[in-house]
Amino acid sequence: MFYYVEGTVALIEKELAVIDCGGVGYACHTSQNTCASIRMGEKARLYTYLSIRENACDLYGFAEQEELNCFKLLLGVSGVGPKAALAILGIAPPSQLALSIITEDAKFLTQAPGIGKKIAQRICLELKDKLAKEQGSLPTGGGLVMTSKAGAGAVDAVSEAVSALVVLGYSQAEALRAMEGIQTDGTATSEELIRACLKKLAAQ
């Protein structure tokens, strides 16, 4: 129903932001990262997700499209509700969360309040399986021109970065195109590659 809301930030509380759009205040449940990125009295755009249940109608909003995509993916995991998803989004930027899922770093996810080892492992397993089914197989950086210095580590970093971009909502083709022209000789980590690609995609 709502793709985004844009207006003046009227209120910021813990995991809640109210956006005044032409005199109507939209209360958006959100992450700590988004709360930290907006300012009272300033204009902001939040990408939204509307949750309609039998006894509630809640609006969730995020400063970045990638964060919204992560939120929706997390909600698709059995046992993960909005509260748990927001807690996970509060511990790191979307790029780092996507990488932790691709590398099955469940321990990293347990840093979120209320997220134990079992649910963290389930998140990694279900989302990685979902990604594999949707993409056929995890990308290996095929089609990219690697420098002569690039070794197995560089290929792994590119593969992880492309997979993480897919987790964030980009198609495999978009991720591979974004990777073109970015240093892939093994000196950059997966997270650095992801950030460089996100910056490139945002500029398009």
Side-chain angles (χ1 to χ4, degrees):
M1 184 178 180
F2 300 105
Y3 186 77
Y4 65 78
V5 294
E6 184 174 275
T8 303
V9 180
L11 177 69
I12 302 175
E13 294 183 349
K14 183 181 179 182
E15 297 185 345
L16 179 71
V18 176
I19 308 298
D20 185 339
C21 303
V24 179
Y26 290 89
C28 299
H29 300 282
T30 189
S31 68
Q32 293 179 22
N33 285 333
T34 288
C35 283
S37 70
I38 59 179
R39 298 288 181 271
M40 287 281 293
E42 295 185 3
K43 189 174 182 180
R45 171 184 291 184
L46 299 186
Y47 296 94
T48 56
Y49 173 86
L50 182 63
S51 173
I52 300 177
R53 293 172 292 168
E54 185 176 347
N55 59 348
C57 182
D58 296 314
L59 188 64
Y60 296 84
F62 304 93
E64 298 178 3
Q65 184 75 55
E66 293 83 9
E67 193 173 23
L68 171 62
N69 291 336
C70 269
F71 178 74
K72 292 192 288 188
L73 276 174
L74 289 168
L75 291 184
V77 176
S78 55
V80 178
K83 185 177 180 180
L86 289 180
I88 293 169
L89 289 171
I91 64 174
S95 58
Q96 196 171 351
L97 290 175
L99 186 58
S100 70
I101 291 167
I102 293 302
T103 58
E104 299 184 73
D105 186 1
K107 185 177 180 180
F108 179 81
L109 298 178
T110 61
Q111 296 179 57
I115 303 300
K117 182 179 179 180
K118 186 177 291 186
I119 189 66
Q121 290 175 333
R122 186 187 305 158
I123 290 170
C124 291
L125 179 63
E126 289 191 19
L127 292 186
K128 193 167 183 179
D129 282 350
K130 181 180 180 180
L131 174 64
K133 289 177 182 177
E134 290 180 352
Q135 298 299 314
S137 62
L138 293 179
T140 59
L144 290 176
V145 178
M146 309 290 283
T147 71
S148 59
K149 295 180 181 179
V155 175
D156 289 343
V158 170
S159 176
E160 290 177 352
V162 172
S163 297
L165 289 169
V166 174
V167 169
L168 295 175
Y170 296 98
S171 69
Q172 190 177 114
E174 288 174 325
L176 288 170
R177 281 198 299 271
M179 196 68 68
E180 292 176 358
I182 292 175
Q183 190 79 357
T184 54
D185 61 359
T187 60
T189 65
S190 301
E191 190 171 352
E192 288 171 339
L193 291 175
I194 296 168
R195 289 176 180 173
C197 286
L198 287 175
K199 185 176 180 180
K200 189 175 179 180
L201 287 163
Q204 291 178 354

